[in-house]
Amino acid sequence: MQIITTKKGLQATVAACKQINKTIGLVPTMGALHDGHASLVKRCVAENDVCFVSVFVNPTQFNNKEDLAKYPRNLEKDAQFLCDLGADFVFAPTPEEMYSEEEMNTTFSFDFAGLDQVMEGKMRPGHFNGVVQVVSRLFYLVQPNRAYFGEKDFQQLAIIHHMVERSSLKDTFDNLRIIGCPIVREASGLALSSRNERLSEDEKKTAINISRILKESLTWPRTSVKEVEQRVVDEINQVPGLEVEYYSIVDGTTLQETDTFDNAVGCVTVYCGPVRLIDNIKY
Ligand code: PAF
């Protein structure tokens, strides 16, 4: 496995792969890798001739400087993890390599068709502009045939589908398939996340209640979407140590409010102590 740190080096490697007609898979990550990422990388390795993984803590998608500073970084450990999974190339640039100063300091503009006006987009203004900025650049540099993303970040995945399939950028990404991969959970049900590293043992036990209540909500009487939403919020908030930021049952494609359970996904953000966790469930 080779680690590449420059755009030039990456483009030369991609050109060499394309010249001999290799299919290319890409897994974009911000490092702090866990078994959720492993499931994406394994699938990428199995389905493509060459597997690229990017490890880049993208500053433009953080609207909180403290969050960016605290984000766990350990390239050596991540590289070993990826090597063991059979990845071929890791792209790990610095922010200065990835962006000009101007790009770093201006919000990337993009037509989200409303997908950024709800849930994470509403709570973290500009977050998805940074995500689209970095992911579109990675797609441009790597020109993958397939790119893999986790369903845990459900809104992010919907926005990337929109970018590649319906937005004004779509012609730039000919022959690219976006592949969403199921959430990987601990045996307890807790969705794997790099942020779990910041939970104490007690907080981890508390956090298990999030997935438990989401799962139970599938069995509740479907009186109305609003009532199920409210009951999830109430039950999570009753657990000492948990505080719901939002729970929205939305249409799985448009992410807009829905009044039916067809193609509906419930997306939650919960503070467990100081740690902000997200999860979702399909109805
Ligand atoms: O999901 C993530 O880890 C990031 O948002 C991504 C897609 C790698 C872009 O920085």
Side-chain angles (χ1 to χ4, degrees):
M1 193 187 76
Q2 192 186 329
I3 299 180
I4 302 168
T5 56
T6 64
K7 287 185 285 194
K8 257 197 179 152
L10 177 64
Q11 283 179 299
T13 308
V14 167
C17 294
K18 294 268 176 199
Q19 201 168 24
I20 49 173
N21 291 324
K22 299 278 187 203
T23 57
I24 294 180
L26 170 68
V27 184
T29 82
M30 297 208 298
L33 303 176
H34 50 67
D35 284 347
H37 297 107
S39 75
L40 309 182
V41 175
K42 280 184 196 158
R43 194 154 165 203
C44 182
V45 168
E47 294 179 352
N48 301 279
D49 296 328
V50 188
C51 167
F52 284 79
V53 181
S54 59
V55 176
F56 177 60
V57 182
N58 174 33
T60 66
Q61 70 186 74
F62 285 81
N63 47 353
N64 178 334
K65 283 211 168 88
E66 204 184 316
D67 232 16
L68 173 62
K70 272 195 196 154
Y71 204 87
R73 293 163 171 88
N74 190 339
L75 182 58
E76 211 176 303
K77 188 170 162 218
D78 288 338
Q80 188 57 56
F81 185 82
L82 293 170
C83 183
D84 293 345
L85 291 167
D88 299 292
F89 298 101
V90 173
F91 178 51
T94 59
E96 294 72 24
E97 173 67 19
M98 206 55 176
Y99 299 124
S100 67
E101 212 178 308
E102 195 190 332
E103 285 170 332
M104 195 95 92
N105 294 312
T106 33
T107 304
F108 181 81
S109 84
F110 179 70
D111 179 8
F112 290 91
L115 292 169
D116 65 328
Q117 297 300 308
V118 295
M119 303 189 291
E120 288 304 277
K122 199 167 159 187
M123 297 300 165
R124 303 169 70 190
H127 166 67
F128 287 119
N129 300 71
V131 170
V132 169
Q133 179 180 31
V134 73
V135 172
S136 60
R137 176 142 311 171
L138 290 168
F139 287 172
Y140 169 76
L141 293 169
V142 179
Q143 294 176 43
N145 302 87
R146 298 182 189 83
Y148 299 81
F149 295 87
E151 287 180 350
K152 188 168 86 64
D153 294 296
F154 192 82
Q155 188 169 8
Q156 168 172 282
L157 179 58
I159 285 172
I160 289 164
H161 270 296
H162 164 74
M163 170 176 109
V164 169
E165 290 151 23
R166 299 183 292 276
S167 82
S168 56
L169 293 179
K170 77 172 193 304
D171 294 337
T172 330
F173 309 120
D174 231 13
N175 292 325
L176 165 59
R177 259 188 70 203
I178 301 302
I179 302 188
C181 301
I183 299 177
V184 179
R185 298 181 182 280
E186 287 187 354
S188 67
L190 179 66
L192 296 194
S193 162
S194 307
R195 290 173 189 240
N196 294 356
E197 281 185 25
R198 287 165 51 195
L199 296 171
S200 67
E201 277 313 306
D202 279 348
E203 285 168 342
K204 242 182 166 186
K205 281 189 195 134
T206 304
I208 290 167
N209 290 290
I210 304 168
S211 56
R212 176 184 63 75
I213 293 166
L214 289 185
K215 199 166 162 212
E216 280 173 15
S217 77
L218 296 180
T219 66
W220 296 344
R222 295 194 176 176
T223 42
S224 77
V225 166
K226 285 283 159 240
E227 275 179 41
V228 172
E229 253 177 16
Q230 192 56 51
R231 184 165 164 196
V232 167
V233 172
D234 293 344
E235 294 214 3
I236 295 179
N237 280 340
Q238 269 164 29
V239 178
L242 294 184
E243 196 183 332
V244 176
E245 187 175 76
Y246 65 81
Y247 182 58
S248 300
I249 298 179
V250 295
D251 177 89
T253 311
T254 65
L255 305 184
Q256 303 308 305
E257 281 185 12
T258 177
D259 50 17
T260 82
F261 286 93
D262 297 338
N263 188 37
V265 182
C267 300
V268 76
T269 293
V270 182
Y271 277 93
C272 179
V275 186
R276 191 173 181 274
L277 299 173
I278 65 171
D279 201 346
N280 65 73
I281 196 144
K282 291 183 184 159
Y283 282 93

